[in-house]
DNA sequence: ACGTGCGGGACATCCCGTTATT
DNA sequence: AATAACGGGATGTCCCGCACGT
């Protein structure tokens, strides 16, 4: 039977925002529920595994959305790695700017916090990382780089974006993304 | 007046470890106190501002220790930026390895979590970032790079280390640090 | 109108097992439904009075089954009270053994827990007690004892079985049933 | 350092009453706290192991009190088993009567309910049973019975009291205790 | 500097019962 | 006869901060 409300979806979207700005442990179910307008009584109907399942769903959506962005920019700049990197950095920068520099990365936050406790999130987090890395690597290969070098540069770009986002939150600026793009123009 | 116990110091050290592995919100005072063996009754004697003050002390020590490491490696490799970068990456890598890939960065964790709530931590975090950045930049300048470029590369290295640590925790490997070092050898 | 599913019946059987091993309050509807495979949506179609009605049905079936056992053993040993008592004790003992000493008495558990709350169960519980007592008393009368003495001994046997079951659960042995049978051989 | 409040003691006494009348699972911490007047904030200071620890304390006190009763009646009736049994039954009967036939046995209730979940209560419950049994057996031995027979009759008396208490709650009468005493006069 | 104890609220989880729909 | 979803409260647990006495 098809779903008849979007309560579940709203909860996931609200949770993503809160996990990214406040962190996983600091965000209470109560806050997620009240801000999303989702009813409390049916939370465990929608998420039998509780907060952990919510986190898994957040991760899945966040991961897929970022992968889609990478592929879209890749398709828009075929064989043009520098332009691809520039636009990827720009996309991150503008998301940070438009959020008032409050948004962290869901993967980074959940990895940092939820790893110590439950094991359930480790697998998904690793999978997302690999997925992102592979999607970026393809763009580099199509720009003429060898497989090994593409993989390595993909990982460097990814980690650079992680770090740049941290820097961006702290300094409330997008300079870190610009520096990252500058560096890749040198590297490529 | 000399201190008569080291309870305060032990609490800070234990808090650092827990904040780095579990995060700030997920770590309770009770756990810090019990794992550090510090008595509960005098916690607010030692830390009148409570958990926030603990976080401030953790940040101060963590920041100073990292700055000292940067300066030490800088002094050991005068004018030799590539060697300096290699050794800095190695130092991070070996810390991750010896901790079983569980240690996050105190600055990153506290920035990600505590920014939403209190303002008290923002200043210190920014100061530490600037301090680290300046210390690295000096090494680059002494290696012959211009001021602006040194500053920029310092920030890139710093953010690269942030990202590499995230990668290292997730993948349980030190590859990210090696990739970062490889990239800098290209860049310098 | 014939029933088209056995969901109701399965729920009652599962509830009996859980009420007997865990108690009434400690057993959630969710557990009963999931372990019985009964669908949740139609629970209040089958049991308009909810959990209390479930308890009433459990009591009715449990009471009738025990009465039937008493009558069967009575019919098998006409006029032979000692043999009857031995076989009744054996029946209880083997049920305990085959359940791994986990099964309590439904009447005892529901009486102990549900008396404080609702009044609905008190009547049925008293009726079952009288029914069992009467069934046993008949056997004693047919073995030659007077009416008053038969009633009294029936109650003593019944209460002895209650107590022996408690002992059996705690000690994980059937000794208490053997002692009870021994005592009755002395008494008769 | 000595305790400065009796909050812990009051909680245990209230918990005993509620566990005996309502059962373990059906009694919420909130009810215990509010009825005992104990503060909520310090509950886990007094009982670090939570509800289970409360149950253990209830068990310990209940067990010791019953043992003391057995020994007192034993000392009052040296070598006189029938009088001892009569007075023990009377003591139980009058407790039931004065409580309005609402009090169950703490051991019976906790054994029935808490066995399924945690293992922590099994040991204490078995120990109490042995302690009671031994205390009764001594009286029988001092009345001239052999060791094996004394042990067996002690267990029968104990289980008879368990069963009689169940009967007493259900029928709201003390007849079961009188019947038990009658039976023992025959047996001795 | 530290033990003991309190205040009051938040946490994730699970509860039983009731809808509207099919 | 069953599904999806909800309502609203209760569960045990744990939280951080602050007293008082020594």
């Amino acid at each position: 039977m098809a779903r008849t409300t979007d309560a579940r979806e709203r909860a996931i979207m609200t949770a993503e925002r809160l996990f990214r700005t406040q962190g996983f442990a600091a965000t209470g179910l109560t806050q997620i529920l009240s801000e999303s307008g989702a009813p409390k009584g049916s939370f465990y109907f929608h998420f039998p595994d509780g907060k952990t399942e919510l986190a898994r769903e957040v991760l899945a959506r966040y991961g897929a959305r970022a992968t889609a962005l990478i592929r879209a920019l890749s398709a828009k700049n075929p064989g043009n790695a520098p332009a691809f990197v520039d636009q990827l950095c720009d996309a991150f920068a503008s998301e940070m700017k438009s959020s008032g520099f409050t948004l962290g990365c869901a993967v980074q936050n959940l990895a940092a916090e939820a790893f110590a406790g439950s094991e359930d999130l480790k697998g998904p987090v690793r999978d997302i990382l690999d997925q992102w890395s592979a999607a970026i690597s393809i763009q580099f290969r199509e720009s003429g780089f060898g497989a090994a070098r593409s993989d390595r540069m993909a990982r460097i770009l990814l980690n650079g974006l992680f770090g740049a986002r941290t820097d961006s939150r702290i300094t409330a600026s997008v300079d870190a993304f610009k520096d990252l793009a500058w560096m890749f123009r040198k590297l490529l």
Side-chain angles (χ1 to χ4, degrees), chain A:
Chain A
M1 190 182 292
R3 242 169 237 297
T4 64
T5 70
D6 60 345
R8 190 182 139 98
E9 221 52 40
R10 286 203 318 273
I12 295 170
M13 285 166 55
T14 305
E16 180 188 316
R17 178 173 48 83
L18 294 173
F19 289 169
R20 290 179 67 186
T21 53
Q22 302 177 339
F24 177 75
T27 302
L29 247 14
T30 310
Q31 191 185 8
I32 296 170
L33 260 14
S34 80
E35 293 200 14
S36 70
K40 182 182 182 189
S42 48
F43 179 78
Y44 283 87
F45 168 78
H46 293 299
F47 303 94
D49 267 9
K51 206 182 179 185
T52 302
E53 184 173 351
L54 230 191
R56 272 198 304 263
E57 295 286 358
V58 165
L59 234 29
R61 272 160 187 71
Y62 184 82
R65 219 170 47 236
T67 304
L69 170 67
I70 292 167
R71 289 191 181 135
L73 293 183
S74 211
K76 223 174 86 183
N77 301 285
N80 188 350
F84 164 79
V85 171
D86 277 353
Q87 290 173 25
L88 191 57
C89 288
D90 276 353
F92 273 65
S94 69
E95 190 196 39
M96 286 308 288
K97 200 184 291 186
S98 69
S99 75
F101 304 99
T102 60
L103 281 178
C105 167
V107 166
Q108 228 175 339
N109 283 8
L110 288 169
E113 293 190 66
F115 261 35
S118 65
E119 296 284 311
D120 316 347
L121 265 9
K122 289 195 177 181
V125 162
R126 270 192 281 260
D127 291 345
I128 290 172
L129 215 61
D130 289 340
Q131 203 184 348
W132 288 348
S133 187
I136 295 176
S137 183
I138 287 173
Q139 159 70 25
F140 288 151
R141 276 177 234 207
E142 291 172 349
S143 300
F145 294 94
R149 173 142 187 188
S150 292
D151 283 354
R152 185 184 290 180
M153 288 196 308
R155 211 59 175 232
I156 290 172
L157 176 55
L158 218 43
N159 293 343
L161 286 167
F162 281 147
R165 203 197 280 273
T166 298
D167 184 300
S168 178
R169 288 189 81 183
I170 295 174
T171 62
S173 88
V174 297
D175 293 347
F177 294 108
K178 289 183 178 151
D179 290 345
L180 182 62
W182 171 85
M183 189 207 70
F184 258 87
R185 274 195 303 273
K186 290 257 170 201
L187 196 64
L188 290 170

